[in-house]
Amino acid sequence: MTADKNLSIFVSPHIFISLFSVAVEKMPTKFITKYKIPLLYGISLAMLLFLLQWIKLRLVIIDHYFEIYVGAIAIIFTVLGIWLALKLTKPKERIVIIEKEIHVQNQETFTLNEKALVQLGLSVRELEVLRLMAEGLSNQEIAARLFVSLNTVKTHNSRIFEKMDVKRRTQAVDMGKKLGIIP
Amino acid sequence: MTADKNLSIFVSPHIFISLFSVAVEKMPTKFITKYKIPLLYGISLAMLLFLLQWIKLRLVIIDHYFEIYVGAIAIIFTVLGIWLALKLTKPKERIVIIEKEIHVQNQETFTLNEKALVQLGLSVRELEVLRLMAEGLSNQEIAARLFVSLNTVKTHNSRIFEKMDVKRRTQAVDMGKKLGIIP
DNA sequence: GTTTTATTCATACTTTTGGGTGATTTCAGC
DNA sequence: GCTGAAATCACCCAAAAGTATGAATAAAAC
């Protein structure tokens, strides 16, 4: 069994649509709200213009601060531009879902072969003894596990071997696994 | 083990980069259509401002060359600010990878677990004896199969049990199957 | 040449497994 | 009520498995 991983790219249309819906809802339809930002921009610019004129009147007197004045204008309008851009662009998240298939060998889930079990005619107790036997327990250990005497386990073993037509526990375990009556 | 599917989230950097490239390619056309109104507004206002300055310039002769210069700076740096902000803010994308487990029951092909075999330190002969043991053969039958004496088989068994740290053949077989060193 | 490992074989002994016989109790089906 | 099956238990004995000790040979590595 190779452990190769397959990558398959998949974009979920549901999420795409839902994101689009959100965008639509946030688009204003009314005239006032539609031009809210440009109105704000216009008002801001007008006030800024007024401020500039006021600063100019004060700076005309002092010639040394010419560069400071220009620099201030540059910074102010850069920040204004950034602010405007940030207002206009909302960060969006786009989720891309990728499904990756991993092949896993199924060793943990055991499905009992009922048909084979019925055919062999093993009782519930006998099947239980067989399972413990397959786990590597000795007869004495099986007896302790099931709270019965060693003689009882031996009797179950004899019955199991008889029904499965085998001579020893290793054969019983091997057959049991092949028939799918023990995991 | 329940047969539930486990979801694990994982971000692949490779796919992230490739999708990022696609997004970059689509950016210019989207940008123009998206900010059509603000752009138009901005340009209009800039031109209006320039016109006002120009009219003022004509009325005040060349005494106000200074205002034209400042106005130009304001426009340039507003555009620069917008450009900067758009550069800084990009739509985010999140990649989500969902791992999907596919249970495979591979009973027909047996792949020897070489690593486990090396770790246990079983020799070729010992592995052969273990395989026959798992098939249900008695020590005497294994000896006949391999054309060796019963004592030889017993010696191999002792070595196998020692290396696997088990007490009896059923434990050795059980462990051998679980480790994948016998089919 | 020496050392280590794998393979093979033997002997003696202990422990575990497996076969045979018999018995008792409980429960379900007729 | 009777019968058969399942579960439980006991005792005896043989066979098989497992342990311990020792030995020999061949091949590969140092």
Side-chain angles (χ1 to χ4, degrees):
Chain A
M1 186 189 76
T2 60
D4 291 341
K5 297 180 182 178
N6 293 328
L7 291 181
S8 46
I9 299 176
F10 176 70
V11 177
S12 168
H14 297 88
I15 293 167
F16 197 81
I17 291 166
S18 66
L19 284 173
F20 186 72
S21 303
V22 171
V24 166
E25 283 170 1
K26 292 202 172 176
M27 288 255 187
T29 53
K30 288 194 174 179
F31 174 79
I32 295 169
T33 52
K34 189 174 183 179
Y35 298 106
K36 185 181 176 182
I37 295 171
L39 277 175
L40 276 176
Y41 182 77
I43 293 166
S44 303
L45 203 58
M47 290 182 72
L48 242 136
L49 209 60
F50 177 81
L51 185 66
L52 283 173
Q53 291 293 332
W54 184 76
I55 290 171
K56 196 177 81 178
L57 280 174
R58 296 185 61 109
L59 289 175
V60 160
I61 302 170
I62 309 167
D63 286 335
H64 303 291
Y65 292 94
F66 176 74
E67 288 82 4
I68 296 170
Y69 177 68
V70 170
I73 285 172
I75 289 166
I76 287 166
F77 276 89
T78 304
V79 170
L80 184 68
I82 289 169
W83 173 80
L84 183 63
L86 285 176
K87 272 293 185 187
L88 291 173
T89 64
K90 301 272 167 75
K92 288 183 181 176
E93 273 197 353
R94 190 157 156 242
I95 298 175
V96 178
I97 294 180
I98 297 173
E99 280 189 355
K100 180 196 281 185
E101 291 179 352
I102 297 179
H103 293 272
V104 175
Q105 188 164 8
N106 191 3
Q107 290 178 345
E108 306 286 344
T109 57
F110 163 73
T111 309
L112 176 69
N113 186 350
E114 296 274 4
K115 189 178 176 183
L117 187 62
V118 167
Q119 257 184 327
L120 285 172
L122 290 190
S123 68
V124 172
R125 200 65 163 175
E126 282 159 3
L127 185 64
E128 197 169 3
V129 169
L130 180 62
R131 182 177 59 79
L132 294 175
M133 194 190 291
E135 285 178 19
L137 275 70
S138 69
N139 287 341
Q140 188 61 259
E141 287 168 350
I142 294 170
R145 180 73 72 85
L146 302 179
F147 302 104
V148 294
S149 84
L150 176 62
N151 301 306
T152 305
V153 173
K154 283 185 179 182
T155 305
H156 287 314
N157 290 353
S158 296
R159 295 285 289 166
I160 290 168
F161 297 162
E162 187 184 321
K163 289 175 180 178
M164 297 178 90
D165 191 28
V166 295
K167 291 188 175 69
R168 62 189 71 90
R169 60 206 302 127
T170 48
Q171 285 180 333
V173 169
D174 189 42
M175 182 183 282
K177 283 181 184 291
K178 281 182 175 139
L179 289 175
I181 61 175
I182 51 175
Chain B
M1 189 191 78
T2 61
D4 291 342
K5 297 181 182 179
N6 293 329
L7 294 179
S8 48
I9 298 176
F10 177 70
V11 178
S12 166
H14 297 87
I15 294 165
F16 191 81
I17 290 167
S18 65
L19 283 174
F20 184 71
S21 306
V22 172
V24 167
E25 288 175 23
K26 292 196 176 178
M27 191 57 75
T29 55
K30 283 191 174 179
F31 170 77
I32 291 169
T33 52
K34 197 164 187 178
Y35 306 111
K36 189 178 177 183
I37 295 172
L39 273 173
L40 280 175
Y41 180 79
I43 291 165
S44 304
L45 200 60
M47 290 182 71
L48 199 67
L49 201 65
F50 180 79
L51 187 64
L52 281 174
Q53 292 294 335
W54 184 74
I55 289 170
K56 199 165 120 186
L57 187 68
R58 300 225 13 173
L59 291 176
V60 189
I61 309 171
I62 309 173
D63 222 1
H64 297 287
Y65 182 78
F66 178 72
E67 282 82 0
I68 295 172
Y69 175 69
V70 171
I73 285 170
I75 290 165
I76 287 168
F77 276 92
T78 305
V79 171
L80 181 70
I82 289 168
W83 175 81
L84 256 178
L86 290 176
K87 264 299 195 190
L88 291 172
T89 63
K90 300 207 197 266
K92 291 181 184 175
E93 288 188 345
R94 264 181 73 198
I95 311 296
V96 177
I97 295 181
I98 296 175
E99 288 184 348
K100 193 177 185 181
E101 286 182 353
I102 295 179
H103 294 278
V104 176
Q105 277 199 336
N106 191 0
Q107 291 181 347
E108 304 285 342
T109 55
F110 166 71
T111 309
L112 176 69
N113 188 348
E114 294 275 3
K115 190 179 176 184
L117 189 62
V118 168
Q119 257 184 326
L120 285 173
L122 290 190
S123 68
V124 172
R125 200 66 162 172
E126 284 159 2
L127 186 63
E128 198 169 4
V129 169
L130 181 63
R131 183 177 58 78
L132 293 175
M133 195 189 291
E135 285 180 17
L137 275 71
S138 70
N139 287 341
Q140 188 60 261
E141 287 167 350
I142 295 172
R145 180 75 70 86
L146 301 180
F147 303 105
V148 293
S149 85
L150 176 60
N151 300 308
T152 305
V153 174
K154 285 186 177 182
T155 305
H156 287 314
N157 291 351
S158 296
R159 294 284 291 163
I160 290 168
F161 297 162
E162 186 185 323
K163 288 175 180 176
M164 298 178 88
D165 191 29
V166 295
K167 291 187 176 67
R168 62 190 73 91
R169 62 207 302 126
T170 47
Q171 284 180 333
V173 169
D174 190 43
M175 180 182 283
K177 283 182 184 291
K178 281 183 176 137
L179 289 176
I181 61 175
I182 50 175

